[in-house]
Amino acid sequence: MKNIVIIGNGISGVTAARHIRKRSDHSITIISAESDHFYSRTALMYIYMGHMRYEHTKPYEDRFWEKNRITLLRDYVEKVDTDQKRLLLRTGKVQPYDVLILAVGSTYNRFGWPGQDLQGVQGLINLQDLELMEQNTKGIRKAVIVGGGLIGIEMAEMLQTRNVHVTMLIREGNYWANVLPAPEARMVNRHIREHGVDLRLATELQAIKGGPDQKVTGIVTTAGEEIECRFVGLTIGVRPNISFLEGSKIKTDTGILVNKHFETNIPEVYAIGDCAQFEEAPAGRRKIEQVWYTGRMHGETLALTICGNKTAYSPGPWFNSAKFFNLEYQVYGQVQPREADDGEHLYWEHESGQKAVRIIYRKADGVVTGINLMGIRYRHEVCDRWLQSNATIQQVLSELKAANFDPEFYRKHEGEIMSEYKGTLQPQQGEKRKKLFGLF
């Protein structure tokens, strides 16, 4: 029986622990100072908005640890000693291990702005951040969010439920311009503004101002504009939370370097979740995957290896989903913000400007490689099958009705999408083709 120690109480670490317990009698200890329970981080915003309470975010009963014979140690790891196979903890305790799993997640970025340590300036990743946001936003009327992304839009929605006026600063010319093609990004721009957010595109933060009490009073942009506020949300991306590994023998880059089995350069030391960086990314995937469902897959896959069935990570085609206020978004496969030379883009946008479908396929053989959906839901199993089976654009269009997952009585648009595709086959309709592919 091995002594397995997991650092991190998030979806990756807890999933690994659960599946190791299902397959073995190994001793399992999870080290985390965050909370006494496993909870859903994706539900934090709903606690703030009053839609849920903390206890509603716990998928398992409070006796989860005891029932599964998992020890939860409420502490912080200060140092990893791989020579002696032990962890030095903040409380002064020493925790030995036979197998170490690093599932330490992410931390939000700071870029050295003047005033970034003032009271009222923070990001939002964990339960402690949520509790701090409760304190920092009590009774305020104006806030600035620096950066876009999914956390930024969630924070804006949270603040608006408390009648806080939100200004959002985006460095790029469109919201999430490094992920979304321009037409979809412009759709989100409109949607954000329609919900009362003062969206400032191509605008960067220069400094954060504070008063004598060390509380934030406003910000200054690089253009010299001053914006009054009492809260600054930092949502300029996240990075792996690995600073405590400095001086250890575990190899790191942006994240902890692992192979396809989540093995680090040190025997019996593994990394999973947001903190793991693949030396060679799986096909169609990124080297760092900071998404809830991939963390769960990491944990399940590693548990097989730990329990004697060495298994490589094979996640299949990329997918993700999100919500910008009430505009839903799904992506399947590879959709780049700019068109590749070997691909064609079928782009249909509803006249309301609140729905869109983008299907990307190779010029050479018509095989579909990516799908973007705005305001329309498609079934995951259908889209995954298309991508896994190298379905062509003609096959995908013929099966759109089978994919549509919108609720009953929602208007369907498959006929309109097919008509647009047929229009691209007419060479004389050059201007329509440009419009269809989202070129202007």
Side-chain angles (χ1 to χ4, degrees):
M1 185 175 72
K2 294 182 178 180
N3 174 25
I4 297 174
V5 177
I6 302 170
I7 307 177
N9 187 21
I11 184 63
S12 302
V14 170
T15 300
R18 287 179 55 242
H19 285 265
I20 291 170
R21 175 54 69 234
K22 287 180 180 179
R23 294 173 171 83
S24 76
D25 288 322
H26 294 315
S27 169
I28 303 174
T29 299
I30 290 181
I31 302 177
S32 173
E34 185 176 356
S35 66
D36 287 327
H37 313 98
F38 170 63
Y39 69 93
S40 173
R41 282 179 171 78
T42 56
L44 287 177
M45 66 180 293
Y46 300 108
I47 299 176
Y48 184 93
M49 295 164 68
H51 299 170
M52 303 175 72
R53 291 196 292 268
Y54 169 65
E55 53 265 33
H56 299 153
T57 70
K58 297 184 294 184
Y60 309 123
E61 65 272 32
D62 287 353
R63 64 188 189 93
F64 168 80
W65 311 111
E66 177 186 358
K67 177 182 176 182
N68 290 278
R69 290 176 289 126
I70 299 171
T71 299
L72 175 64
L73 184 57
R74 294 291 301 272
D75 211 331
Y76 292 92
V77 176
E78 297 280 3
K79 184 177 180 182
V80 178
D81 181 353
T82 56
D83 291 332
Q84 300 296 319
K85 301 188 80 167
R86 62 179 187 167
L87 307 174
L88 307 182
L89 307 183
R90 183 171 296 180
T91 56
K93 296 178 182 179
V94 176
Q95 174 66 45
Y97 69 85
D98 297 321
V99 175
L100 177 63
I101 300 174
L102 301 166
V104 293
S106 298
T107 185
Y108 58 87
N109 287 326
R110 293 169 177 254
F111 292 105
W113 295 291
Q116 68 178 19
D117 295 321
L118 290 167
Q119 183 178 337
V121 181
Q122 65 165 102
L124 179 62
I125 290 179
N126 55 36
L127 187 61
Q128 281 75 21
D129 292 332
L130 179 68
E131 292 168 348
L132 181 61
M133 188 171 170
E134 282 282 0
Q135 299 172 20
N136 284 336
T137 59
K138 192 172 295 183
I140 71 167
R141 288 291 173 262
K142 294 181 180 180
V144 169
I145 294 174
V146 183
L150 302 182
I151 296 177
I153 201 70
E154 287 181 357
M155 190 177 279
E157 186 173 357
M158 292 163 67
L159 291 166
Q160 284 205 332
T161 62
R162 300 197 180 182
N163 298 316
V164 177
H165 180 269
V166 177
T167 301
M168 180 179 285
L169 310 184
I170 305 294
R171 181 180 61 182
E172 295 80 11
N174 286 307
Y175 173 88
W176 224 16
N178 62 329
V179 175
L180 295 175
E184 290 95 312
R186 289 193 291 265
M187 180 181 295
V188 180
N189 292 346
R190 295 192 301 269
H191 196 74
I192 291 172
R193 286 171 169 150
E194 287 167 0
H195 280 77
V197 174
D198 182 6
L199 178 63
R200 308 285 186 94
L201 301 174
T203 305
E204 296 185 59
L205 175 68
Q206 178 171 292
I208 303 170
K209 301 174 62 177
D213 57 359
Q214 295 302 300
K215 294 182 179 180
V216 63
T217 59
I219 64 101
V220 181
T221 70
T222 52
E225 181 183 5
E226 296 189 14
I227 302 175
E228 178 188 349
C229 65
R230 294 295 181 270
F231 177 82
V232 176
L234 300 181
T235 64
I236 321 92
V238 296
R239 66 182 188 278
N241 182 29
I242 60 173
S243 59
F244 73 101
L245 293 177
E246 291 180 9
S248 76
K249 294 183 178 180
I250 300 170
K251 286 186 178 179
T252 63
D253 182 34
T254 301
I256 303 167
L257 293 171
V258 298
N259 61 17
K260 62 185 178 181
H261 298 104
F262 301 103
E263 297 169 320
T264 69
N265 63 304
I266 304 296
E268 302 286 20
V269 177
Y270 304 84
I272 54 177
D274 287 15
C275 67
Q277 177 181 339
F278 292 104
E279 293 170 329
E280 293 186 16
R285 294 282 180 148
R286 300 175 179 86
K287 289 189 174 183
I288 299 178
E289 297 184 322
Q290 294 165 319
V291 182
W292 182 89
Y293 82 87
T294 59
R296 183 188 62 196
M297 294 172 70
H298 288 190
E300 292 177 359
T301 304
L302 178 58
L304 294 171
T305 294
I306 296 293
C307 296
N309 180 16
K310 193 166 186 177
T311 304
Y313 180 56
S314 181
W318 168 257
F319 72 93
N320 198 10
S321 62
K323 185 170 71 71
F324 313 107
F325 288 96
N326 57 4
L327 177 63
E328 295 187 14
Y329 157 75
Q330 290 178 295
V331 60
Y332 297 93
Q334 296 303 304
V335 178
Q336 303 299 331
R338 293 172 182 80
E339 294 186 33
D341 292 337
D342 62 348
E344 293 279 20
H345 287 231
L346 166 60
Y347 181 71
W348 168 86
E349 183 174 316
H350 189 260
E351 60 185 7
S352 68
Q354 298 180 358
K355 296 181 181 182
V357 174
R358 181 182 297 272
I359 304 174
I360 302 172
Y361 57 98
R362 294 196 296 252
K363 293 179 181 178
D365 55 12
V367 169
V368 170
T369 57
I371 302 167
N372 241 18
L373 303 166
M374 309 294 293
I376 291 179
R377 302 175 188 171
Y378 280 2
R379 298 179 188 276
H380 174 264
E381 63 269 22
V382 175
C383 294
D384 188 70
R385 172 173 57 80
W386 287 337
L387 295 171
Q388 296 267 27
S389 65
N390 293 324
T392 63
I393 179 65
Q394 291 83 3
Q395 178 185 342
V396 167
L397 290 174
S398 70
E399 297 178 0
L400 284 184
K401 288 184 179 180
N404 195 301
F405 194 51
D406 277 335
E408 189 178 4
F409 303 125
Y410 270 51
R411 183 182 171 189
K412 304 297 190 289
H413 303 281
E414 287 77 24
E416 299 168 44
I417 296 170
M418 179 63 81
S419 295
E420 291 282 12
Y421 173 67
K422 290 178 179 178
T424 68
L425 303 180
Q426 304 298 322
Q428 69 271 22
Q429 294 180 322
E431 293 305 308
K432 184 174 183 180
R433 183 182 180 88
K434 288 181 181 179
K435 183 178 180 181
L436 184 64
F437 290 174
L439 298 181
F440 63 76

